[in-house]
Amino acid sequence: MSLFPAFAEESTKVEVSSKELDWLRNTSFQSGDALSIHNQYLERTSEKESRELGSGGKEKCGEEPPKKKKKKNVKKKKKKKKHKKTSGRYSDSSESDSETIYPSDLKKEEANRPQAAPLSSKFSWLDDVQSPTEQLFCVDQKADAANWTYKSLYRGDVARYKRKGSSSLGLNPRIQGISWEDSETNKKRKGGDKKKTEDRYFSTVSRQLLRSNPPIPTLATLPESSSADGTAAFLPLEGEEENKGGEEGERALTSSVNPLRVYDSSTALWLQGKGPQELMEQEKQDVQTGYGALLLSGKTEEFNKQLRERPDDTQLWINFIRYQDELSATVFGGEEEKQSGVSSERRKSSHRAVLEKKLSIADRAVATNPTCIALQLERLRIYQELWEPSVLSKEWKKLVFLHPNSAPLWREYLLFTQSYFSSFTVSKVNAAYGKCLSTLSAVRDGSMVSHPALPGTEEDMLDIFAQQCHFLRQSGHSEKAISLFQAMIDFTFFKPDSVREMSTKQQVEFFEPFWDSGEARVGELGARGWKAWMLQQERGGWLQPPAEEEEEEEEDEEEVKDRSKSRQTIWVEVESSREAAHWLPWRPDKAKGQSEEDCEDPDRQVLFDDIGPSLIRLSSPELQLCLLLHFLSFLGLPVDPVLSAAPRQPGLLLESLSLLTQGNDLHHPLTSNDLPDLGVHPVGHTTPLQGKRKWAGLGKQGETFVTNLFRRVQPVLPAHHRAVLALSWMQYEKLKVLRCLRGGNKKRLRSQGKSSKHVSKQLLKEPDNRSSLVLWREYAHLEWMLGNHDEARKVFSTATAIGGTKGLRSPTLCELCLLWAQLEAEAGEVSDVTASPAVCVLTRLAEGASTSSQPLAPVSILKARRSYEQALATGLAALDQHGPDLQAKGRGQEEILGEKLRLRGLAGCYALFQYLTTGIQAAHAVYIQARERMEDLHRALKPDTRLSSDGEADKSLSRSLADLNGGYAKRLASECEALAVQHAALLRYHSSIGVFPLATLRQTLTSALSSWPSSAPLWSVYVQMENRYHTAGRARRFFQSVTRDNGGVVPHLFAIFAEQQRKQLVDAALRSCSPDAALPILPENGLSHRICGLFESTISTEMGSHCPLPWRMYIHFLVSDGKMDQAMRIFYRALQNIPWDKGLYLDGVQLFPDHLQEFVDVMTEKELRLRLPLEELDILLED
């Protein structure tokens, strides 16, 4: 039997008897049934074709249609001819119903069929065709231009179908069905009401809901038990909703979302986006659409009402002005509008409208409060985007002319002149600084009778003076900055007695002859000072002693060491090396017969006109010490952050990446934060962002300058101020050794260690320093860093013997023993507690005895724990006693109070003792106890400071008390931050050597950073801790909460740094694995966009826009990401905000070498210091 019985012949049947072919048989199929079915099909086909042929013949015999219907008839005839041809195919075969048709017959018929005539290539009328039966179709080769124009077919050419009936296959028509009217209703709804389709998460109404607090409800709300709330924890499975819903529930059961009736009515309505009650749905829509109008009008009305009641509230006016930005962000979209496809014209018009509105409010506020400087500053900030530079500059000058005694106003004016690119030049800004300081000096002296001196004028003048020196250093004019400090030290510490009672202007006039006389200045060899020069001039002058023959400095043989480098790279290297070598002002050597004409670079000479207007008088000894500390910090020496007042605008000085990378020393986790980095470059180290220091210190000339400075200034200072300078000098020597250790150059480390030890020993030999435990502590640490552990232990033992039996009552002795114990703990672990060197040191400290090599008894450890507990309780109780009674104390009690505040050593010793003897939880409890008490006291002091500074009765007494209270609060804040850093370092150390939950460390860091958001060591530990996780959501939320509430730059920078480190980790994982291997970390998309967003949010803040570090980091990140065009745009934006920073130009030349000539021209135009002109560079390259 064949596989296809219907087409098999009976005569050729073959019986297959093999059992292997049984699977080919189909026993249930009968060939007779197949033949009968085929015959029935042929009968029906023949009948249908005969009917069609009959109707076609009738039409042929009919009359010919008129001409105008010719096209229609042609189409009909084509159709009929087609039918004829089709029917003719089976006309012969249909004569005998019983005859079988085989595939071979079909092939023969197809071969004998006449070939059709070829198709024509153009249309023709039926009357013009000679034989209509041959050419009925044609190929249309002419293109339809409408398809190109409209990008789609003509709607008339597209077939449309109508649905007949509403049934659907697979459904029971009695109880199931599909409602087709819903789609049409949705179409009408979309076409008629477009507002409802646009209310998505990015719409205006949704942004209003996200940006603002929920308003007071004006409509009645449904009870919480309503099912529309969505507050139920689950959807009920019973049929209760069907009974409540009634007909609505039955309708929902047969809807398109519930064809099988498996959902109850409430679930089906929920899937449709509907509620059980139309009233609830309408109320929800009304509340959502009414949010915008309610929020905007309600808050604006509240502002207007409060301003009518309190028109003299300046802060309320400022808040109302700044509220317009929030309002515009809600209405116009703000930054989201920029990211979307909104046209620039619309953005400009909306921004212009907001500015006009803010300006009208500011004008009304100034008219109401004409003497308020804050409102006038706010108005000038608005005018800055509307006025021309010349008009804006005149308005600023007019404002400072009307208020010459306001230091905050002067500070804002200087920032404007320093950062406004179109009118910026170094000489103009330097002249503005001189004008500011001379005017404030006249106000302070009483020469300007029209305006009295405000409290704190001297502190503000010193801060502005230090800011001017840093501005000159950042712009490359290091010689002028050094000359300013030299002149101020001579003007302050070596002033003749005959001119002390004169005004500042008269004293400056007497000082000018000394400056121009060529006499040696502070820091130079043979300097005697202004006072000695004046006395000798009255006696007839002195003879110039013969100059000592000094060893000539070995100059570099060639400034260009590698000529294979590019021209731009050589320019950057030579410019940086000259900056490091020639930061001291050039002075003619009279012994060699030199004159001013012998100077090769005239910019290295400093004239008195450049520095004279900036000289100020400092009457307070504390401010005089602060001036010295500012100079030492300017030279790169570590200083006490409390004694040297922090700058009022610290963001202007941040320019070093070392701020973000400090505290990463894994070998010294407990002592790595001993010398925190401030992120400010010292003088002579203006380099590209990722450039290296040329020397560990200041070079040979710089070190000689520092030594001469200390030797000249120390004799005129009181004893406690000399101790401060000695500590700074010792820490500087230790810092140079630390830099050599990090550099890895053993030869340089050996020579630097030898010189640093020599300087430290010379300091300790001085009579005032022999019993200074602070200096002994630093020297012992220096020996330990150099690897001389045994020598360092001897120094520590000697220092503890000098401390005597004071024990825990001496803060300096506690700090010394804490450092010793930390170093011993880092050196290695000891299984026996009684044999641990660190425990021995801490126990002997509690006993008040000197250290010895004898083992400890367990009883001694118990006694020491009791002593530590009592000492810490006593110290914290003393804080509570001295805090409220601070105003009753005189200034003579300030040092005593400062000693009482120094609890970091005691708390640190107790916590480390508990950690080594009991465990980490005990140490954690000690730090928590100390920090909570001290931070509570610090929070309690803040209102007192504000009250004392705002009091009207007895202003002088209030000011002095405020200064005393402010110093006390600063010292207390410093101690709290130091304790937090110790606490975090100890927890991190324990987590690195043992099993410890990081939740405790995280909670400690978050609480500390919430209180001290500008602490770089704490942020460094936090970033290291969070980088151990693959998920960054928790850290991102914490960074956002801190940066939202804090206006400083440091939290923003560490947020960026954390994301950059995460991106480096992801990139390294992607590079290390093959394409088909599993990744050790999940790749995260969008990190580049997130980092760019963080950069934008940082530079959009008031202080971040004028901070050099985020701008330079932003440019380097874009270049490393391959976005050169975007990096170039950011570079030009940075020039608009920080045009004075020379490091930015060096980065530009390094990253965009093709623009060297352009950048050098801009530097020349803006008068930045250019030490290597391009013409000289060409000469060097030719040689």
Side-chain angles (χ1 to χ4, degrees):
M1 182 177 178
S2 175
L3 183 63
F4 304 100
F7 298 95
E9 296 183 6
E10 296 178 0
S11 60
T12 59
K13 289 182 181 179
V14 179
E15 295 294 334
V16 181
S17 60
S18 176
K19 295 182 179 179
E20 296 178 354
L21 299 178
D22 288 343
W23 62 276
L24 291 174
R25 297 180 182 180
N26 189 358
T27 56
S28 63
F29 189 81
Q30 302 295 329
S31 59
D33 297 339
L35 292 174
S36 62
I37 291 172
H38 182 62
N39 291 333
Q40 292 176 6
Y41 168 73
L42 293 177
E43 291 177 0
R44 287 197 300 269
T45 305
S46 60
E47 291 177 2
K48 184 176 180 181
E49 289 178 352
S50 62
R51 287 197 300 269
E52 289 179 355
L53 289 173
S55 60
K58 291 180 182 179
E59 286 186 13
K60 283 185 178 180
C61 297
E63 296 181 358
E64 188 176 352
K67 287 272 185 178
K68 62 181 180 180
K69 296 183 179 179
K70 184 178 290 184
K71 290 186 178 181
K72 188 174 181 181
N73 291 334
V74 169
K75 292 181 181 179
K76 287 184 178 181
K77 289 184 178 181
K78 289 180 181 179
K79 188 174 181 181
K80 292 168 187 173
K81 291 291 182 181
K82 185 176 180 181
H83 285 307
K84 285 182 180 180
K85 186 181 290 186
T86 307
S87 60
R89 179 182 299 177
Y90 301 102
S91 58
D92 298 335
S93 61
S94 60
E95 293 177 358
S96 60
D97 296 338
S98 62
E99 186 176 358
T100 305
I101 300 176
Y102 302 101
S104 58
D105 298 337
L106 296 176
K107 289 183 179 180
K108 291 179 182 179
E109 181 182 352
E110 186 174 351
N112 298 330
R113 184 183 306 158
Q115 298 292 332
L119 298 177
S120 63
S121 60
K122 62 181 181 178
F123 288 101
S124 59
W125 298 102
L126 185 62
D127 297 339
D128 300 335
V129 179
Q130 297 179 359
S131 57
T133 59
E134 295 180 359
Q135 298 291 342
L136 296 181
F137 300 96
C138 73
V139 177
D140 185 8
Q141 297 181 351
K142 183 179 180 181
D144 191 358
N147 292 337
W148 297 345
T149 305
Y150 301 106
K151 304 296 179 63
S152 63
L153 295 176
Y154 175 55
R155 58 182 179 84
D157 296 339
V158 180
R160 288 184 292 181
Y161 304 94
K162 293 183 180 180
R163 184 187 301 110
K164 293 186 178 181
S166 59
S167 62
S168 179
L169 292 177
L171 299 181
N172 188 348
R174 296 181 180 180
I175 60 174
Q176 296 176 341
I178 296 178
S179 177
W180 302 100
E181 287 83 15
D182 289 347
S183 60
E184 297 177 2
T185 307
N186 291 337
K187 284 184 180 180
K188 294 180 181 179
R189 186 180 300 169
K190 288 182 180 179
D193 191 3
K194 293 184 179 180
K195 285 187 178 180
K196 295 183 180 179
T197 61
E198 292 176 356
D199 287 347
R200 294 190 65 192
Y201 66 94
F202 51 80
S203 62
T204 304
V205 175
S206 302
R207 287 201 300 269
Q208 291 173 359
L209 296 176
L210 291 174
R211 291 172 181 272
S212 55
N213 298 325
I216 301 174
T218 55
L219 301 174
T221 58
L222 294 179
E224 295 183 357
S225 60
S226 176
S227 62
D229 292 348
T231 56
F234 61 93
L235 291 175
L237 300 178
E238 293 79 16
E240 298 177 359
E241 298 296 334
E242 297 181 3
N243 299 332
K244 295 181 180 179
E247 296 179 359
E248 183 176 346
E250 291 293 331
R251 197 181 307 116
L253 290 177
T254 59
S255 63
S256 59
V257 298
N258 189 18
L260 301 179
R261 302 186 70 185
V262 295
Y263 302 125
D264 59 359
S265 59
S266 62
T267 307
L269 291 173
W270 179 78
L271 290 174
Q272 294 178 358
K274 300 178 181 179
Q277 299 178 6
E278 292 297 331
L279 177 61
M280 168 57 78
E281 185 176 343
Q282 184 65 30
E283 286 183 358
K284 284 186 177 181
Q285 293 178 359
D286 293 342
V287 170
Q288 289 182 358
T289 54
Y291 266 151
L294 183 62
L295 290 173
L296 303 182
S297 61
K299 201 166 184 180
T300 304
E301 289 177 1
E302 184 66 23
F303 269 115
N304 289 327
K305 178 182 178 181
Q306 293 180 4
L307 288 173
R308 283 193 299 268
E309 297 174 354
R310 296 175 293 163
D312 55 343
D313 190 347
T314 58
Q315 189 59 40
L316 185 61
W317 282 106
I318 294 175
N319 293 339
F320 189 33
I321 293 173
R322 294 176 180 175
Y323 168 69
Q324 305 307 315
D325 294 327
E326 178 185 350
L327 190 63
S328 67
T330 305
V331 175
F332 297 108
E335 293 296 329
E336 299 170 4
E337 188 184 46
K338 296 181 182 179
Q339 298 176 3
S340 61
V342 184
S343 63
S344 59
E345 290 79 6
R346 181 182 175 187
R347 289 200 304 268
K348 290 180 180 178
S349 61
S350 63
H351 184 61
R352 179 82 180 190
V354 174
L355 285 179
E356 295 290 346
K357 191 174 182 181
K358 292 168 66 176
L359 187 58
S360 64
I361 298 173
D363 290 337
R364 192 175 57 156
V366 171
T368 309
N369 304 275
T371 59
C372 181
I373 299 176
L375 289 176
Q376 295 179 359
L377 286 175
E378 196 69 27
R379 185 175 65 167
L380 278 178
R381 292 191 186 99
I382 303 172
Y383 276 131
Q384 191 167 345
E385 303 184 42
L386 299 174
W387 284 354
E388 294 295 328
S390 58
V391 180
L392 190 62
S393 179
K394 290 180 182 179
E395 190 67 21
W396 269 105
K397 292 179 180 178
K398 178 182 177 181
L399 185 59
V400 296
F401 176 77
L402 295 176
H403 305 278
N405 60 340
S406 175
L409 177 60
W410 277 107
R411 193 175 285 110
E412 293 292 333
Y413 171 64
L414 293 173
L415 182 60
F416 162 74
T417 57
Q418 185 173 334
S419 60
Y420 208 62
F421 180 79
S422 59
S423 60
F424 165 79
T425 59
V426 174
S427 59
K428 285 183 180 180
V429 177
N430 193 44
Y433 273 105
K435 179 68 174 176
C436 166
L437 292 174
S438 59
T439 304
L440 290 177
S441 296
V443 171
R444 181 214 175 260
D445 296 338
S447 304
M448 189 173 291
V449 186
S450 59
H451 294 81
L454 299 177
T457 301
E458 280 194 16
E459 290 84 349
D460 291 328
M461 290 164 61
L462 180 58
D463 179 72
I464 293 173
F465 174 82
Q467 182 177 327
Q468 179 186 6
C469 295
H470 280 287
F471 161 74
L472 292 172
R473 175 188 59 79
Q474 289 177 325
S475 60
H477 296 271
S478 304
E479 300 91 347
K480 292 183 180 179
I482 293 294
S483 297
L484 265 174
F485 273 116
Q486 286 179 313
M488 269 300 298
I489 291 175
D490 262 318
F491 193 75
T492 302
F493 295 99
F494 304 99
K495 185 179 298 182
D497 297 333
S498 57
V499 299
R500 288 187 180 275
E501 302 300 327
M502 298 181 182
S503 64
T504 304
K505 184 178 181 181
Q506 293 172 340
Q507 292 181 12
V508 171
E509 293 175 355
F510 275 95
F511 183 74
E512 184 176 0
F514 164 74
W515 186 264
D516 295 335
S517 64
E519 182 65 24
R521 301 162 188 169
V522 172
E524 299 176 1
L525 188 64
R528 299 180 178 90
W530 180 26
K531 182 177 181 180
W533 181 84
M534 282 280 291
L535 290 175
Q536 197 63 31
Q537 287 297 315
E538 293 174 359
R539 297 173 185 175
W542 49 48
L543 297 176
Q544 186 71 23
E548 300 178 1
E549 294 185 1
E550 298 181 4
E551 297 180 359
E552 294 287 339
E553 289 193 9
E554 295 182 1
E555 298 182 358
D556 294 336
E557 297 179 0
E558 283 190 43
E559 288 184 315
V560 183
K561 298 180 180 180
D562 189 0
R563 296 180 181 273
S564 62
K565 296 181 179 179
S566 63
R567 182 169 178 258
Q568 297 81 4
T569 305
I570 293 175
W571 182 85
V572 172
E573 291 179 353
V574 176
E575 183 75 18
S576 301
S577 63
R578 289 188 177 183
E579 182 82 25
H582 299 154
W583 52 271
L584 284 172
W586 186 86
R587 300 291 306 283
D589 192 350
K590 294 182 179 180
K592 298 179 181 180
Q594 293 180 351
S595 61
E596 295 179 355
E597 288 76 12
D598 296 331
C599 183
E600 298 178 356
D601 188 358
D603 288 333
R604 292 187 63 190
Q605 301 183 45
V606 181
L607 303 178
F608 185 78
D609 295 339
D610 296 330
I611 64 171
S614 301
L615 297 179
I616 58 177
R617 279 200 301 172
L618 300 175
S619 57
S620 169
E622 288 76 14
L623 290 179
Q624 294 176 1
L625 175 64
C626 188
L627 169 66
L628 277 176
L629 295 180
H630 275 304
F631 191 22
L632 296 181
S633 177
F634 186 82
L635 294 173
L637 277 70
V639 296
D640 190 342
V642 178
L643 296 178
S644 63
R648 305 293 176 87
Q649 295 174 328
L652 298 177
L653 311 181
L654 296 179
E655 52 193 345
S656 175
L657 284 176
S658 58
L659 174 75
L660 306 176
T661 57
Q662 60 180 320
N664 295 335
D665 191 356
L666 300 179
H667 300 288
H668 304 89
L670 297 177
T671 59
S672 59
N673 295 312
D674 187 57
L675 294 175
D677 198 314
L678 302 179
V680 181
H681 278 310
V683 63
H685 291 280
T686 302
T687 59
L689 184 64
Q690 298 177 352
K692 297 180 180 179
R693 302 173 62 95
K694 187 175 182 180
W695 298 303
L698 296 171
K700 186 176 181 180
Q701 284 187 345
E703 297 301 326
T704 305
F705 181 84
V706 171
T707 303
N708 294 334
L709 172 65
F710 276 112
R711 290 176 180 175
R712 188 70 195 94
V713 172
Q714 279 185 338
V716 299
L717 295 177
H720 59 285
H721 289 179
R722 288 198 299 269
V724 173
L725 293 188
L727 174 61
S728 180
W729 197 355
M730 188 87 76
Q731 289 179 343
Y732 175 59
E733 298 297 330
K734 189 173 70 172
L735 181 61
K736 288 189 290 184
V737 172
L738 181 61
R739 287 171 181 164
C740 292
L741 278 172
R742 293 172 180 172
N745 192 332
K746 294 183 178 180
K747 183 178 178 181
R748 181 176 296 180
L749 175 62
R750 192 180 305 111
S751 62
Q752 183 60 54
K754 185 177 179 180
S755 63
S756 296
K757 286 173 62 176
H758 175 71
V759 173
S760 302
K761 289 179 180 179
Q762 291 295 328
L763 285 174
L764 287 173
K765 287 179 181 179
E766 295 181 3
D768 294 339
N769 301 332
R770 290 177 182 175
S771 60
S772 176
L773 296 180
V774 178
L775 296 183
W776 282 99
R777 172 183 180 272
E778 298 298 329
Y779 177 59
H781 194 193
L782 176 63
E783 291 283 0
W784 192 285
M785 291 169 60
L786 291 172
N788 307 325
H789 292 182
D790 294 337
E791 188 67 26
R793 291 187 179 97
K794 292 179 182 179
V795 176
F796 276 123
S797 299
T798 305
T800 53
I802 293 174
T805 59
K806 294 181 180 179
L808 300 178
R809 295 172 296 173
S810 173
T812 54
L813 185 59
C814 290
E815 293 172 4
L816 184 142
C817 293
L818 174 61
L819 177 61
W820 189 4
Q822 287 175 341
L823 293 173
E824 294 287 358
E826 290 174 350
E829 298 182 7
V830 180
S831 58
D832 188 7
V833 175
T834 58
S836 172
V839 176
C840 181
V841 169
L842 296 174
T843 305
R844 299 301 183 193
L845 172 65
E847 294 176 351
S850 59
T851 57
S852 62
S853 58
Q854 298 178 358
L856 291 175
V859 179
S860 302
I861 296 178
L862 296 177
K863 290 181 179 179
R865 182 177 293 113
R866 182 63 177 171
S867 301
Y868 275 119
E869 184 179 355
Q870 293 178 353
L872 183 60
T874 304
L876 294 176
L879 284 181
D880 294 338
Q881 293 176 3
H882 288 285
D885 299 336
L886 183 62
Q887 294 184 358
K889 304 291 182 182
R891 191 171 285 275
Q893 299 290 330
E894 187 176 359
E895 296 181 9
I896 300 176
L897 295 177
E899 290 292 327
K900 296 289 185 183
L901 283 174
R902 293 176 60 180
L903 292 178
R904 71 173 82 176
L906 175 60
C909 288
Y910 184 23
L912 186 58
F913 178 81
Q914 290 287 81
Y915 171 68
L916 295 174
T917 57
T918 306
I920 187 62
Q921 295 298 336
H924 179 62
V926 172
Y927 275 122
I928 289 295
Q929 177 188 0
R931 285 182 52 204
E932 285 182 353
R933 296 284 292 276
M934 296 179 73
E935 290 178 2
D936 290 343
L937 178 60
H938 181 261
R939 283 190 290 268
L941 282 176
K942 288 183 178 180
D944 297 338
T945 304
R946 287 195 297 267
L947 290 174
S948 61
S949 61
D950 294 339
E952 297 181 359
D954 199 3
K955 292 184 179 180
S956 60
L957 178 60
S958 299
R959 182 64 190 177
S960 62
L961 292 176
D963 292 341
L964 180 59
N965 203 0
Y968 183 83
K970 288 179 182 178
R971 176 62 67 182
L972 183 59
S974 176
E975 292 294 319
C976 292
E977 183 179 346
L979 274 178
V981 173
Q982 289 180 9
H983 190 187
L986 182 62
L987 293 179
R988 181 186 60 173
Y989 169 71
H990 179 72
S991 63
S992 63
I993 64 174
V995 179
F996 182 69
L998 288 179
T1000 306
L1001 176 57
R1002 184 187 302 110
Q1003 183 179 4
T1004 301
L1005 287 170
T1006 53
S1007 63
L1009 287 169
S1010 300
S1011 302
W1012 321 109
S1014 298
S1015 176
L1018 288 175
W1019 280 118
S1020 181
V1021 177
Y1022 180 77
V1023 171
Q1024 293 174 33
M1025 184 262 302
E1026 288 294 344
N1027 281 342
R1028 300 172 64 177
Y1029 292 92
H1030 293 315
T1031 57
R1034 184 189 300 107
R1036 288 169 179 170
R1037 288 192 296 271
F1038 178 68
F1039 272 117
Q1040 172 134 17
S1041 64
V1042 175
T1043 53
R1044 183 178 59 248
D1045 301 333
N1046 185 267
V1049 187
V1050 175
H1052 291 272
L1053 291 176
F1054 274 97
I1056 295 169
F1057 183 66
E1059 294 294 340
Q1060 284 184 327
Q1061 284 195 329
R1062 181 171 182 80
K1063 186 175 185 299
Q1064 290 177 2
L1065 181 64
V1066 173
D1067 294 344
L1070 294 176
R1071 286 194 300 266
S1072 62
C1073 298
S1074 58
D1076 56 345
L1079 296 176
I1081 183 173
L1082 293 177
E1084 184 171 350
N1085 296 325
L1087 272 177
S1088 297
H1089 299 291
R1090 175 179 290 276
I1091 294 172
C1092 290
L1094 290 174
F1095 273 119
E1096 289 291 340
S1097 64
T1098 303
I1099 61 181
S1100 64
T1101 60
E1102 184 176 358
M1103 186 52 65
S1105 60
H1106 303 301
C1107 180
L1109 186 55
W1111 286 107
R1112 298 173 67 179
M1113 290 175 60
Y1114 196 4
I1115 297 170
H1116 273 266
F1117 170 73
L1118 292 175
V1119 171
S1120 65
D1121 217 22
K1123 303 175 181 177
M1124 300 300 295
D1125 295 338
Q1126 190 175 353
M1128 197 67 187
R1129 290 195 294 269
I1130 298 300
F1131 176 81
Y1132 286 118
R1133 283 179 58 190
L1135 284 184
Q1136 300 291 328
N1137 290 274
I1138 51 172
W1140 72 88
D1141 187 33
K1142 185 179 178 180
L1144 177 65
Y1145 296 88
L1146 295 180
D1147 287 342
V1149 174
Q1150 188 182 50
L1151 300 176
F1152 314 106
D1154 297 336
H1155 298 268
L1156 171 62
Q1157 184 66 51
E1158 177 187 350
F1159 296 156
V1160 170
D1161 292 342
V1162 175
M1163 292 176 64
T1164 306
E1165 178 187 354
K1166 298 303 178 182
E1167 301 178 0
L1168 272 76
R1169 185 76 163 88
L1170 187 64
R1171 299 181 183 272
L1172 180 62
L1174 296 184
E1175 296 79 10
E1176 185 179 354
L1177 175 64
D1178 295 335
I1179 295 173
L1180 290 175
L1181 293 178
E1182 288 176 2
D1183 295 341

